[in-house]
Amino acid sequence: MRQFGWIALLAAAVASSASAAEVVRPLLGQTVADFSLKDFRGKSYSLSEFKASAIVVIAVLGTECPIAKQCAVKLQNLSDKYAERGVVILALDANRQDSLTEIGAFAKANSLTFPILKDLNQQVVDSLLATRTPEVFVLDAQRVVRYRGRVDDQFAVGGKSRKTPTREDLKTAIDELLDGKSISVPETVAVGCLIGRAREPKKDATVTYSNQIARVLQQHCVECHRPGEIAPFSLTEYQEVAGWADTIVEVTRSQQMPPWHASPEYGHFANERRIPPEDLNLLQQWASAGAPEGNPADLPPPRTYTEGWQLPHQPDHVVWMSEKPFQVKEEGTVRYQYFSVDAGLTEDKWLSAAEIIPGNRSVVHHVIVFMTSDGKLLDEDRQMVTAYVPGLRVTPFPKGMAKRLPAGSKFIFQLHYTPNGVAGEDRTRIGLVFADPAEITHEVRTASAGNRRFRIEPQKDNQAFESRVVTAPTELKLLSLSPHMHLRGKSFRYELTLPDGKTETLLDVPHYDFNWQTAYRLPEPRTIPQGAKLKAFATFDNSPNNLANPDPSKTVTWGEQSWDEMLLGYFDVAVPRGSDDTARRAVAGIAEGREPLAIVKRLFESLDKNKDGKIVRDEVGPAQKAMFDTDADGMITQEELVAGLPELRKLFRP
């Protein structure tokens, strides 16, 4: 499962540089005493048995910390690279919540061959003054600590993460030590999850897991922190929760969790995720008291969820993107993939909720499902059904409102894959929940205010752009607002100007997070009069200070890949059911993507000389065929041409 949202947030869960340094410095230059621990198979290892090794790297890991998961693979690569030069990787897991079975599964899932030892009583990590997972210690031949801290600088204080590291601290320390040099940077701040400490709970604690904390977590956290959901660990059982007590306090106090980015100054939303101060205080008291369990008889009944889905109940209908999985390559760039399928609807349906479930979350970045009448991406009446983006939560439409799915509709799945170093496969599906047609009063459509003509200059922060103005073609009901930018996106704001000239801010997101993209649902549908104007305002940070910036030296324009940019203010609106076709099409006309897709359609039709729906070898030159014929079948389809839009734009860009 791809964990970039959680990785970025947990990267911020670190102590300040000053306090971290106070803990780090005393151990440098000290000798680590011999110890003996068992791995998850029960085999004993001691530090002294590696006396012939030139360097021992002790790595403190945890099975569910997203950063530790990524760094474990990096450690394995280093182990493979330096084994012949006498470097040994020795991992410790001291988390109270990590069982031997879980450690074994972690090792297997990540193909780890170095030993992972269970520091059951946390004596070794305490002697190392370790605080985080992951945290590494480089020991020389005399087992003196020469380096401690992070593996590399991919993850940083403040919740930002780079696509790739710019400094490989651990590797550099190993190289310098092997070459007989002094280590240039002997300590860095470890970034990750707090070690799940085993503590003696206070017997007289008034706040316990059973009587209060379980209720707080059910209210604010368990929606995501349950088996099969987006969060990297579950918070439904005491033993698991207790190990995360300190981290829970850290990320909730800093308001990194639950993820919510709307400014409270402008409006309130039905799906608002904010933990009130009184609940934050309960979490703090509980952790400070040693995370006592209390009396299990006081536990609230567990919240019920639809197994495998966020939907209110099991879907009424499921549509798969294809009969066979798509093979995702190990590395490199994968163009957007399009899969056209018959939705299997034999009669008109009204859609009250939909959810996309990736078959392989670790490589699926986002998915959009479109509905068309003919299965062609360039269908002029193409409509978005729903999307899967990092952090998006499913919320059904208000009662009486739904999207219309005509009988015979075709679905087009647009998938953005991001290879993660391991070849895999994906077969994504969408679940549909239908409403009773007799109860539907309004038809829902998804539209957007966007800007495709911006140019973001290199090396600059706070570059501001505006969307085109969207004018309500008829009276509408506004249901939700969904900002969308990429890695340089910094802030986003929607403004509404009423026919009388009064302007108000509908939504302000001062700190946009690409890893947590939210559909902000209004508490009640908002009536938007005909002639009202909606506009979006966005800022971008293309400076080196933006750690997520793929390349600060690049001038950035509109593009589909995450290293390009977008400025899109999606919003859901509803018109009365039975509105004349003019009103419906007017709303459809402000949907995203009409202008460029219309250009592609005209281009496609001009090249498709025999009008068979495909461009064959004699209708296009070899260079164009090589550029767009991604499956090398000798033909270019509409989907391949749309997927090649970035290359198409480069051909015509001055």
Side-chain angles (χ1 to χ4, degrees):
M1 176 178 177
R2 197 164 195 221
Q3 303 286 6
F4 285 138
W6 262 100
I7 287 172
L9 287 168
L10 289 177
V14 296
S16 68
S17 298
S19 61
E22 291 171 3
V23 173
V24 169
R25 287 195 179 95
L27 192 68
L28 285 172
Q30 295 184 13
T31 302
V32 175
D34 191 25
F35 59 82
S36 180
L37 297 172
K38 293 182 179 180
D39 70 2
F40 58 89
R41 299 184 182 90
K43 181 180 178 180
S44 292
Y45 290 84
S46 62
L47 182 61
S48 58
E49 71 182 77
F50 300 101
K51 58 186 178 182
S53 300
I55 294 175
V56 172
V57 176
I58 297 178
V60 182
L61 299 178
T63 66
E64 294 178 307
C65 177
I67 303 176
K69 289 180 180 180
Q70 285 219 334
C71 287
V73 177
K74 298 179 181 184
L75 290 168
Q76 183 62 52
N77 292 337
L78 290 174
S79 177
D80 295 340
K81 178 181 177 67
Y82 289 100
E84 293 184 358
R85 299 185 67 185
V87 177
V88 169
I89 306 287
L90 197 60
L92 307 180
D93 187 317
N95 284 338
R96 63 180 290 182
Q97 69 268 30
D98 291 348
S99 68
L100 295 177
T101 300
E102 289 169 329
I103 295 173
F106 174 73
K108 181 178 180 181
N110 293 286
S111 302
L112 307 179
T113 60
F114 52 78
I116 306 179
L117 314 181
K118 181 64 177 178
D119 190 4
L120 194 60
N121 297 316
Q122 303 179 330
Q123 293 179 345
V124 179
V125 294
D126 285 346
S127 70
L128 294 171
L129 303 178
T131 59
R132 303 271 168 182
T133 65
E135 189 167 2
V136 296
F137 303 81
V138 176
L139 282 53
D140 65 14
Q142 289 72 46
R143 303 306 174 242
V144 174
V145 178
R146 297 302 182 190
Y147 169 80
R148 67 172 295 166
R150 65 195 182 194
V151 173
D152 56 41
D153 69 349
Q154 184 171 5
F155 309 107
V157 176
K160 295 288 187 178
S161 62
R162 299 178 172 90
K163 184 177 181 181
T164 57
T166 62
R167 176 178 170 82
E168 297 178 294
D169 300 276
L170 175 58
K171 179 180 181 299
T172 299
I174 293 173
D175 286 337
E176 291 174 339
L177 203 56
L178 288 174
D179 292 341
K181 300 177 181 178
S182 297
I183 294 178
S184 54
V185 181
E187 60 177 329
T188 56
V189 176
V191 179
C193 310
L194 288 168
I195 294 171
R197 298 285 178 179
R199 296 179 179 174
E200 184 66 30
K202 292 183 179 179
K203 295 181 179 179
D204 59 348
T206 57
V207 179
T208 70
Y209 173 78
S210 297
N211 69 5
Q212 288 167 305
I213 299 305
R215 291 170 172 80
V216 172
L217 298 178
Q218 283 188 5
Q219 178 68 29
H220 304 292
C221 309
V222 173
E223 177 188 6
C224 295
H225 286 271
R226 55 189 171 95
E229 260 302 329
I230 188 173
F233 50 84
S234 176
L235 293 177
T236 57
E237 302 289 340
Y238 168 71
Q239 291 298 334
E240 180 80 0
V241 174
W244 290 103
D246 293 332
T247 295
I248 291 171
V249 170
E250 192 171 53
V251 298
T252 55
R253 278 289 179 189
S254 62
Q255 297 185 0
Q256 297 161 52
M257 280 284 140
W260 184 256
H261 303 97
S263 168
E265 186 177 349
Y266 301 101
H268 298 283
F269 300 91
N271 56 336
E272 190 165 317
R273 302 186 194 121
R274 296 185 192 278
I275 300 181
E278 56 269 25
D279 286 350
L280 293 175
N281 288 334
L282 289 174
L283 291 169
Q284 175 70 61
Q285 292 177 50
W286 178 66
S288 298
E293 180 178 14
N295 185 354
D298 295 332
L299 283 170
R303 289 188 63 174
T304 58
Y305 296 92
T306 305
E307 185 176 355
W309 301 86
Q310 298 177 40
L311 298 170
H313 57 73
Q314 287 293 323
D316 299 311
H317 188 61
V318 176
V319 181
W320 294 82
M321 74 178 197
S322 59
E323 291 186 3
K324 296 180 179 180
F326 176 75
Q327 302 298 317
V328 183
K329 60 185 181 181
E330 182 175 341
E331 56 187 19
T333 300
V334 178
R335 280 184 177 177
Y336 279 33
Q337 296 296 307
Y338 294 89
F339 302 87
S340 179
V341 295
D342 191 312
L345 304 176
T346 58
E347 59 182 2
D348 289 1
K349 293 290 186 181
W350 289 94
L351 182 70
S352 64
E355 180 183 2
I356 296 171
I357 301 289
N360 186 345
R361 292 180 190 266
S362 67
V363 295
V364 175
H365 180 266
H366 78 255
V367 186
I368 300 177
V369 174
F370 298 102
M371 173 188 65
T372 73
S373 59
D374 60 4
K376 300 298 183 182
L377 190 60
L378 304 183
D379 185 340
E380 292 183 359
D381 198 33
R382 175 178 64 86
Q383 258 289 305
M384 180 193 291
V385 178
T386 193
Y388 166 86
V389 292
L392 186 67
R393 310 305 295 161
V394 173
T395 305
F397 295 123
K399 186 175 177 60
M401 298 184 178
K403 287 189 175 181
R404 178 173 169 269
L405 303 180
S409 291
K410 309 297 189 300
F411 281 0
I412 296 175
F413 287 72
Q414 178 202 72
L415 288 108
H416 180 193
Y417 291 109
T418 52
N420 62 0
V422 180
E425 60 182 30
D426 170 67
R427 187 169 177 242
T428 289
R429 67 191 189 276
I430 181 173
L432 311 175
V433 172
F434 299 137
D436 183 349
E439 297 178 354
I440 301 305
T441 60
H442 287 74
E443 180 177 349
V444 177
R445 289 251 171 168
T446 299
S448 70
N451 178 351
R452 293 173 176 266
R453 301 184 183 276
F454 56 80
R455 289 179 68 85
I456 303 173
E457 296 181 21
Q459 309 293 346
K460 292 184 180 180
D461 190 4
N462 292 319
Q463 300 186 58
F465 300 91
E466 303 174 359
S467 76
R468 64 189 175 94
V469 175
V470 173
T471 303
T474 185
E475 183 177 283
L476 306 169
K477 296 287 188 181
L478 179 65
L479 309 182
S480 66
L481 303 159
S482 306
H484 178 69
M485 298 185 287
H486 289 172
L487 294 170
R488 295 172 177 85
K490 185 173 184 179
S491 69
F492 205 98
R493 187 175 81 255
Y494 290 81
E495 286 189 1
L496 178 70
T497 301
L498 298 171
D500 63 5
K502 180 181 178 182
T503 297
E504 64 177 288
T505 298
L506 296 176
L507 169 68
D508 180 37
V509 179
H511 303 290
Y512 175 81
D513 189 340
F514 179 64
N515 295 301
W516 293 101
Q517 300 185 43
T518 301
Y520 297 89
R521 293 277 178 188
L522 276 62
E524 298 291 338
R526 164 78 181 268
T527 298
I528 305 297
Q530 183 177 7
K533 300 182 184 300
L534 185 67
K535 194 174 185 179
F537 299 81
T539 64
F540 297 86
D541 182 358
N542 196 20
S543 75
N545 295 330
N546 176 4
L547 298 186
N549 194 341
D551 184 356
S553 67
K554 180 182 177 183
T555 298
V556 185
T557 57
W558 176 278
E560 282 77 12
Q561 297 294 342
S562 57
W563 55 81
D564 299 315
E565 267 303 339
M566 288 188 176
L567 194 170
L568 280 173
Y570 287 111
F571 54 96
D572 281 343
V573 293
V575 295
R577 180 180 179 180
S579 296
D580 60 46
D581 196 53
T582 301
R584 291 179 63 255
R585 285 190 172 275
V587 175
I590 59 177
E592 181 271 327
R594 302 297 175 191
E595 178 185 356
L597 289 182
I599 294 172
V600 172
K601 184 175 183 179
R602 291 196 297 271
L603 175 63
F604 188 91
E605 290 174 346
S606 68
L607 294 174
D608 183 19
K609 296 180 176 60
N610 62 3
K611 307 304 177 186
D612 65 350
K614 296 178 180 178
I615 301 172
V616 295
R617 187 183 302 275
D618 61 354
E619 294 173 322
V620 70
Q624 288 74 28
K625 177 181 174 296
M627 182 179 294
F628 298 106
D629 183 19
T630 54
D631 60 4
D633 65 351
M635 297 178 290
I636 300 174
T637 64
Q638 290 185 4
E639 289 75 20
E640 286 175 322
L641 197 60
V642 172
L645 269 174
E647 287 80 3
L648 190 63
R649 289 191 183 93
K650 292 175 184 176
L651 292 177
F652 296 100
R653 185 174 295 157

